[in-house]
Amino acid sequence: MKRQNDWFTGIDYYDNHKEKEISVERTIIDTETQIKRHEQVEMFYVVSGEAIVSINGRDYDAKEGSFFCMYPHHFHHIRSVQKALEVISVKFYIGLFMYMSWEKHPKYVNAKLMYDTRPMVSLQRKQKEKIKELVQEILQERENQRFGSMNMVQYKTLELHTYFCRYAYEHIGIDKKEESEVWKVIKVTILTTGKNLSLEEAAKATSLSPKALNRSIKETCGYTFFQLQQFGKIINACALLHFPQLSMEYISDLLGFSSVNAFYRSFVKYCLVTPREYQEKYIRSKDWVVMGSGYAMQFLQYMHIHFMKDLSLEGICKEFCIKEYTGKQIFEEVFGSNFNSVLNEIRVCYASAFLRTYKLNILEISLMCGFDSLSTFQRNFKFYMHQTPTEYRSAMKHEENRLEPK
């Protein structure tokens, strides 16, 4: 028997890209390093050695069993090395994991994870064994490149990050180290992207004047208040661009830009490409902009769920936060048809099932499937099924009688 070799899956529309790549490596650190800002989440587990890691101005003892997780608002460097560190590091873009799945938490839990947790936890015996085994499995999958390794690396990295969040959240308030005024402002400036926090407002939370605060921020981390603010917005924009249902206008407004043009200018300055080019180049291929973005399948799912209701292209685009002309283009390019035609085909599909199973009359089924008139229903039914609803029901009844056991 001839085999079917041309199976298609989501990966046919979802090419490998920059943000899907997860960096995993075993590293030896035997010298001090310079303070740095980073776009990726950087996690590392200390296999052996002893050193002092400075994160946002606070020192942490790095030794066997130390588990670090640093986000883009963490500036870190190795301040001193007593014994060369052997670490297994895992780096990834947080947007990928935001897109994959997040458990719904009680109110303010995510904020506590960002603001109140330490970037390092010291693991106990069973925790240490679990995390050490997990990071070694991730490293092994990356090195061996067996079938499914890329998926395994993603799943296990997501598991690793979830474990850190759990441990860090459970350690809130334990052995807490206070941040300096300046480092608190630096963190809040990067994380507070929903509104335009001014330097004057930030200074009120400190004992410094706006000018002195800006100078201290520059001396502390190498960037000005405004540069940090824009960096935070762009980091969040990169994460939000993973969600295809969010329009550029929505992301721009959400992050507090004065206009879409201002959002584009700032994004180009930091990323050297426009937000749309970033999506096409780093998140999905050009072929995936429409099909793989998820819009089409989300539209289809939504229409199947709500086919009985009064649906319109304008309404569904509003539901998914995109422009109507974008929605129109998706239907044309993906389905090769317009919104109304796709909707009518879905309704006829359900009407066919209802005609077979319900004893309702044709008009009742027409209204049940969302058609605004009996004539519209009959016209569309005949177009897709090549017979009238009455003829279809009669043919189905005849077929059932023929198949009934004598």
Side-chain angles (χ1 to χ4, degrees):
M1 182 179 291
K2 186 178 179 181
R3 291 172 19 139
Q4 179 177 339
N5 293 317
D6 57 340
W7 296 106
F8 294 96
T9 66
I11 198 65
D12 294 302
Y13 305 103
Y14 193 74
D15 296 336
N16 297 342
H17 51 72
K18 183 186 100 170
E19 291 220 0
K20 199 174 182 183
E21 284 298 319
I22 297 172
S23 170
V24 187
E25 60 182 351
R26 186 188 298 271
T27 310
I28 301 297
I29 304 173
D30 55 10
T31 59
E32 299 176 7
T33 60
Q34 297 294 316
I35 189 170
K36 70 170 184 174
R37 184 188 74 182
H38 51 93
E39 296 179 14
Q40 292 179 296
V41 176
E42 297 189 10
M43 306 182 71
F44 65 82
Y45 173 79
V46 179
V47 179
S48 64
E50 294 180 18
I52 301 296
V53 180
S54 180
I55 305 173
N56 285 10
R58 291 188 292 180
D59 289 345
Y60 296 89
D61 293 325
K63 56 186 178 182
E64 181 186 356
S66 296
F67 186 21
F68 289 83
C69 179
M70 291 164 289
Y71 299 105
H73 64 272
H74 289 128
F75 291 71
H76 69 279
H77 66 107
I78 306 298
R79 193 170 66 77
S80 65
V81 179
Q82 290 77 50
K83 182 180 178 183
L85 287 182
E86 179 185 355
V87 303
I88 298 177
S89 65
V90 182
K91 301 177 185 179
F92 60 88
Y93 289 87
I94 192 63
L96 176 62
F97 290 86
M98 288 174 61
Y99 183 72
M100 286 176 68
S101 68
W102 277 109
E103 174 183 314
K104 186 174 179 60
H105 300 302
K107 195 175 183 180
Y108 304 130
V109 166
N110 287 331
K112 288 175 72 68
L113 280 170
M114 287 291 103
Y115 288 99
D116 299 334
T117 57
R118 300 173 64 195
M120 186 275 284
V121 291
S122 296
L123 304 178
Q124 303 306 311
R125 184 172 60 83
K126 288 186 177 180
Q127 295 175 344
K128 188 188 302 184
E129 292 172 0
K130 182 190 297 288
I131 298 304
K132 183 177 181 180
E133 181 180 4
L134 184 55
V135 295
Q136 287 176 335
E137 287 176 355
I138 296 172
L139 181 65
Q140 188 175 37
E141 289 289 350
R142 172 60 72 193
E143 291 177 343
N144 292 346
Q145 289 293 299
R146 298 172 62 191
F147 179 81
S149 282
M150 188 170 182
N151 283 335
M152 293 299 289
V153 169
Q154 287 186 357
Y155 301 149
K156 290 179 182 295
T157 300
L158 180 60
E159 182 182 358
L160 182 68
H161 182 244
T162 303
Y163 271 123
F164 180 85
C165 291
R166 171 184 290 178
Y167 297 151
Y169 188 78
E170 291 172 349
H171 279 78
I172 290 177
I174 301 175
D175 190 27
K176 186 177 181 180
K177 296 183 179 181
E178 285 296 327
E179 293 177 323
S180 69
E181 287 184 335
V182 175
W183 277 113
K184 284 181 180 179
V185 171
I186 290 172
K187 180 165 71 173
V188 169
T189 301
I190 294 175
L191 291 176
T192 306
T193 57
K195 70 170 191 174
N196 289 315
L197 179 71
S198 69
L199 180 58
E200 288 71 24
E201 288 176 301
K204 288 179 181 178
T206 72
S207 58
L208 301 172
S209 67
K211 185 176 180 179
L213 175 60
N214 197 40
R215 184 171 59 250
S216 295
I217 291 174
K218 175 73 174 177
E219 292 172 352
T220 301
C221 68
Y223 301 91
T224 66
F225 173 84
F226 178 77
Q227 288 172 330
L228 289 178
Q229 192 174 58
Q230 295 302 300
F231 172 69
K233 290 179 184 293
I234 298 307
I235 288 296
N236 278 274
C238 289
L240 291 170
L241 288 171
H242 282 77
F243 296 84
Q245 66 268 35
L246 302 182
S247 67
M248 295 302 168
E249 292 84 354
Y250 182 85
I251 293 175
S252 173
D253 290 342
L254 187 66
L255 297 178
F257 287 98
S258 59
S259 67
V260 176
N261 286 338
F263 169 43
Y264 266 64
R265 285 196 301 271
S266 185
F267 197 94
V268 170
K269 179 179 178 182
Y270 282 85
C271 298
L272 304 180
V273 292
T274 68
R276 188 66 70 193
E277 289 169 342
Y278 184 90
Q279 281 186 319
E280 294 176 0
K281 185 176 181 181
Y282 297 135
I283 297 179
R284 50 184 177 263
S285 69
K286 289 183 178 179
D287 291 336
W288 199 69
V289 171
V290 176
M291 175 63 85
S293 67
Y295 279 128
M297 299 313 297
Q298 290 180 62
F299 283 175
L300 206 56
Q301 182 184 46
Y302 185 86
M303 293 163 77
H304 273 277
I305 293 172
H306 302 286
F307 71 95
M308 294 182 178
K309 298 180 181 179
D310 183 19
L311 299 181
S312 66
L313 178 60
E314 179 185 4
I316 199 170
C317 288
K318 186 176 181 180
E319 183 73 23
F320 286 89
C321 305
I322 66 169
K323 295 293 186 183
E324 190 173 339
Y325 68 81
T326 304
K328 182 180 179 181
Q329 182 182 20
I330 290 170
F331 278 97
E332 290 175 350
E333 294 188 15
V334 176
F335 301 111
S337 187
N338 58 41
F339 168 81
N340 287 329
S341 294
V342 174
L343 178 59
N344 286 332
E345 188 172 359
I346 290 172
R347 286 173 168 169
V348 167
C349 177
Y350 283 101
S352 300
F354 294 160
L355 285 165
R356 291 195 304 269
T357 56
Y358 292 152
K359 293 183 179 180
L360 300 173
N361 63 43
I362 305 298
L363 177 58
E364 288 172 322
I365 289 177
S366 168
L367 295 174
M368 182 187 293
C369 292
F371 288 99
D372 56 7
S373 70
L374 179 59
S375 61
T376 302
F377 170 50
Q378 291 178 321
R379 183 174 62 253
N380 279 283
F381 195 94
K382 188 164 186 179
F383 178 81
Y384 290 106
M385 303 300 293
H386 307 293
Q387 55 188 325
T388 67
T390 301
E391 291 170 342
Y392 177 82
R393 174 175 266 177
S394 178
M396 291 299 102
K397 185 66 176 176
H398 177 74
E399 184 68 15
E400 290 173 6
N401 292 336
R402 188 181 67 82
L403 295 175
E404 281 183 2
K406 302 297 184 183

